[in-house]
Amino acid sequence: MSESHVNCLGLAFFLASVKAFNKRNKFIVLDDVISSFDRPHRKRFANLLTDKFSDYQIILLTHEREFFELAASDVKSKGWLIQ
């Protein structure tokens, strides 16, 4: 498996555990988790967060301007706060 696929698998396990075990606090902190993802995977990841975790507060940190703009455009129409 490539580094990107291994990272995707780890992130999938993390997000599954959030759904299973973080029902009370309903927040997620993600720090630069997409650095090895290509653009299509980044778009799908942003869509996943807005579709499956819309009832969670998400703190998503990134150093990549392109991903910030991609994620921001995905969530603006849903009324999410972006800073």
Side-chain angles (χ1 to χ4, degrees):
M1 291 176 76
S2 70
E3 178 185 355
S4 179
H5 287 111
V6 171
N7 290 344
C8 281
L9 184 60
L11 191 53
F13 280 123
F14 172 76
L15 293 174
S17 71
V18 166
K19 282 287 193 179
F21 304 115
N22 193 11
K23 295 176 190 237
R24 187 172 190 191
N25 294 319
K26 296 258 182 187
F27 73 91
I28 308 169
V29 178
L30 299 167
D31 184 13
D32 228 3
V33 295
I34 51 81
S35 60
S36 65
F37 293 10
D38 59 11
R39 184 169 173 78
H41 282 101
R42 291 173 184 202
K43 177 73 174 148
R44 283 190 292 232
F45 178 67
N47 291 339
L48 173 80
L49 291 178
T50 58
D51 292 343
K52 302 297 182 185
F53 293 90
S54 61
D55 56 337
Y56 283 73
Q57 179 172 346
I58 300 172
I59 299 172
L60 179 61
L61 305 167
T62 185
H63 292 97
E64 299 192 23
R65 184 79 172 157
E66 182 182 337
F67 178 64
F68 172 80
E69 291 169 356
L70 180 81
S73 69
D74 192 42
V75 301
K76 278 183 183 176
S77 65
K78 297 177 178 158
W80 289 28
L81 177 63
I82 304 162
Q83 295 185 346

